[in-house]
């Protein structure tokens, strides 16, 4: 049905009317005083979201631009780095690091399992020569619906003394607690189409003082993503190049909504929706893909044993105009993922569960009593 599509994928996520209306204005000059006021305000709001006193810089690009910027601004040719890889986005970090000629040691975990903090601790403790320059990982691994223990891993990096922590927080920021300064994270990458309740197009890099010191030594090639000019112009409430002016309007509106709700309330809402999605899937005999206790607050991956996940996903879209995410790479057809990130309310989760149940029933694949998933979800939400 026209205009009825509900996005339940982990990005792009639904966008509130208030944000869409803000974006729908005529652009203004990006060197105007009016625009500078927006840059000033959004910079403060972004620091609030990241729980940092350091810099948070805005790049026109997708989340991967922020990941690449994190690497090329803090590291140098041949630097040794530890990269966590337990899914598609961990793999992406490895690829970016290798593309810039870094010496990458990969710390792997099976897809669906969390990264093992002890594996990082062991490698860091063995590095008496202090050759490891950075530990690079994904906080919420969107491809598998696993949340990694970023807090513990970054504490091991702190104990090492010199290495930096670079984290992809694209689907954890705005969903769960990511206190950048308290955890001592040096670089956080994120993107507008995820927890920010915005369309795609802006990416964000938060940078610690230690990371700026590394920037001074970094010799990797950079131009558009050289964060030096972003910092210099940010000090004057401006940008080095023409930013996406209209997305800035949306950013200001979205962050204002988030501030009105409050960080704790946002985190609680995501935790409740995770609990509801997990309880519902278990109640209808659909196993979760992420290891118990490591489900991401942004996304629930489901591995419906003996059911074609793609067939189910497509039928839910056709019958109910609800878009669920599929499995990536070898998980295609084996896994579907329910996104509950950003502008999502209880009604959205209950409706998605009901649509999944009704679709299973119509395909003759419902393994329990119709409505048992909805009952479990509403009980978890109550
Ligand atoms: C969406 C996402 C990204 C960024 O992807 P882009 O398509 O470049 O915006 C990075 N990491 C994770 C974990 C993501 O979910």
């Amino acid at each position: 049905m026209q205009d009825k599509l509900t996005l339940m994928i982990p990005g792009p996520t639904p966008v509130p009317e208030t944000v869409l209306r803000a974006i729908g204005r005529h652009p203004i000059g990006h060197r105007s005083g009016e625009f500078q006021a927006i840059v000033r305000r959004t910079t403060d709001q972004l620091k609030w979201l990241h729980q940092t006193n350091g810099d948070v810089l805005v790049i026109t690009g997708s989340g991967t631009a922020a990941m690449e910027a994190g690497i090329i601004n803090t590291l140098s040719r041949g630097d040794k780095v530890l990269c966590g890889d337990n899914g598609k986005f961990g793999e992406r970090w490895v690829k970016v690091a290798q593309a810039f000629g870094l010496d990458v040691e990969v710390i792997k975990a099976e897809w669906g399992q969390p990264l093992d903090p002890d594996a990082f601790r062991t490698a860091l403790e063995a590095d008496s020569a202090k050759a490891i320059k950075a530990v690079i990982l994904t906080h919420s691994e969107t491809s598998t619906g696993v949340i990694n223990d970023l807090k513990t891993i970054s504490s091991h990096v702190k104990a090492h003394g010199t290495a930096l922590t670079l984290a992809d927080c694209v689907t954890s920021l705005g969903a769960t607690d990511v206190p950048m300064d308290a955890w001592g994270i040096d670089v956080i990458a994120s993107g507008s189409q995820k927890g920010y309740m915005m369309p795609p197009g802006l990416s964000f890099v938060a940078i610690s003082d230690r990371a700026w010191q590394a920037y001074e030594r970094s010799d990797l090639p950079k131009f558009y993503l050289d964060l030096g000019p972003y910092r210099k112009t940010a000090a004057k409430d401006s940008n080095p190049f023409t930013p996406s002016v209209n997305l800035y309007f949306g950013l200001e509106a979205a962050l204002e909504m988030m501030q009105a709700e409050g960080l704790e309330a946002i985190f609680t809402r995501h935790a409740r929706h995770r609990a509801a999605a997990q309880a519902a899937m278990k109640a209808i005999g659909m196993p979760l893909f992420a290891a118990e206790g490591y489900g991401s607050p942004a996304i629930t991956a489901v591995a419906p044993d003996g059911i074609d996940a793609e067939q189910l996903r497509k039928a839910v879209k056709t019958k109910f105009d609800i878009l669920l995410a599929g499995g990536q790479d070898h998980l295609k057809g084996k896994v579907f993922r329910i996104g509950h990130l950003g502008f999502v309310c209880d009604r959205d989760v209950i409706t998605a569960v009901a649509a999944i149940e009704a679709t299973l029933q119509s395909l003759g694949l419902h393994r329990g009593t119709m409505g048992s998933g909805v009952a479990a979800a509403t009980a978890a939400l109550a």
Side-chain angles (χ1 to χ4, degrees):
M1 188 184 192
Q2 190 180 345
D3 292 344
K4 261 296 181 191
L5 181 68
T6 297
L7 292 171
M8 300 281 299
I9 58 174
T13 61
V15 181
E17 292 294 326
T18 304
V19 176
L20 289 173
R21 274 199 303 273
I23 292 169
R25 285 177 57 194
H26 203 283
I28 58 175
H30 65 292
R31 304 291 181 212
S32 63
E34 190 188 343
F35 191 68
Q36 279 180 307
I38 294 171
V39 173
R40 194 176 314 129
R41 170 123 193 260
T42 50
T43 298
D44 288 343
Q45 292 169 317
L46 287 167
K47 289 181 185 200
W48 166 82
L49 179 64
H50 288 75
Q51 305 181 61
T52 184
N53 292 314
D55 290 307
V56 187
L57 304 170
V58 182
I59 298 166
T60 305
S62 81
T64 307
M67 296 167 71
E68 179 164 327
I71 285 189
I72 63 180
N73 284 279
T74 58
L75 296 163
S76 296
R77 268 173 249 269
D79 273 357
K80 177 161 185 186
V81 297
L82 297 183
C83 244
D85 172 6
N86 60 335
K88 187 89 184 156
F89 291 98
E91 268 175 14
R92 184 172 300 179
W93 268 134
V94 173
K95 284 182 186 162
V96 179
Q98 287 174 341
F100 287 96
L102 302 181
D103 173 10
V104 184
E105 181 180 334
V106 182
I107 296 192
K108 268 188 183 286
E110 289 296 310
W111 286 39
Q113 296 298 317
L115 293 169
D116 176 12
D118 280 341
F120 288 87
R121 185 172 53 78
T122 306
L124 287 160
E125 281 178 359
D127 181 38
S128 48
K130 305 294 174 200
I132 299 169
K133 301 300 177 202
V135 170
I136 305 175
L137 73 156
T138 306
H139 189 194
S140 164
E141 178 47 80
T142 314
S143 61
T144 62
V146 165
I147 186 103
N148 287 310
D149 188 354
L150 174 61
K151 181 185 184 184
T152 302
I153 293 170
S154 69
S155 75
H156 295 325
V157 183
K158 279 281 136 332
H160 174 273
T162 56
L164 299 174
T165 303
L166 277 56
D168 169 346
C169 294
V170 176
T171 55
S172 60
L173 196 74
T176 191
D177 200 22
V178 190
M180 179 171 183
D181 292 358
W183 288 1
I185 302 167
D186 297 294
V187 173
I188 289 183
S190 64
S192 58
Q193 81 276 26
K194 305 289 175 106
Y196 288 85
M197 314 193 292
M198 287 184 59
L202 293 182
S203 61
F204 308 91
V205 202
I207 302 276
S208 73
D209 287 343
R210 269 160 37 95
W212 281 123
Q213 287 161 23
Y215 170 82
E216 298 303 329
R217 299 186 295 272
S218 159
D219 69 1
L220 294 175
K222 43 190 163 287
F223 183 77
Y224 184 70
L225 297 178
D226 184 343
L227 295 179
Y230 285 86
R231 172 167 61 164
K232 221 167 135 187
T233 49
K236 292 179 263 171
D237 303 318
S238 192
N239 307 74
F241 313 109
T242 314
S244 176
V245 169
N246 289 59
L247 287 180
Y248 257 100
F249 298 154
L251 179 65
E252 185 180 29
L255 288 169
E256 188 172 311
M257 283 178 69
M258 291 175 81
Q259 287 187 314
E261 185 175 1
L263 283 181
E264 278 311 316
I266 292 171
F267 303 155
T268 305
R269 176 164 55 82
H270 283 83
R272 288 173 67 250
H273 291 164
R274 166 177 57 194
Q278 290 183 348
M281 292 303 110
K282 285 182 182 168
I284 58 172
M286 305 272 261
L288 303 177
F289 185 71
E292 182 75 35
Y294 288 94
S296 166
I299 182 144
T300 298
V302 186
D305 207 15
I307 293 175
D308 180 346
E310 272 308 281
Q311 183 196 11
L312 173 63
R313 195 178 76 82
K314 286 184 180 145
V316 169
K317 165 78 167 46
T318 308
K319 292 165 80 73
F320 295 103
D321 290 296
I322 295 174
L323 186 64
L324 303 168
Q328 291 175 287
D329 292 351
H330 64 278
L331 296 181
K332 198 168 173 69
K334 298 199 170 68
V335 159
F336 69 89
R337 295 171 297 150
I338 308 167
H340 34 80
L341 173 61
F343 186 54
V344 174
C345 69
D346 292 6
R347 182 186 67 200
D348 299 322
V349 177
I350 291 170
T351 309
V353 169
I356 290 167
E357 281 201 79
T359 304
L360 284 169
Q361 194 180 41
S362 73
L363 295 171
L365 297 169
H366 201 303
R367 286 169 181 161
T369 319
M370 177 65 204
S372 52
V374 171
T378 51
L381 292 168

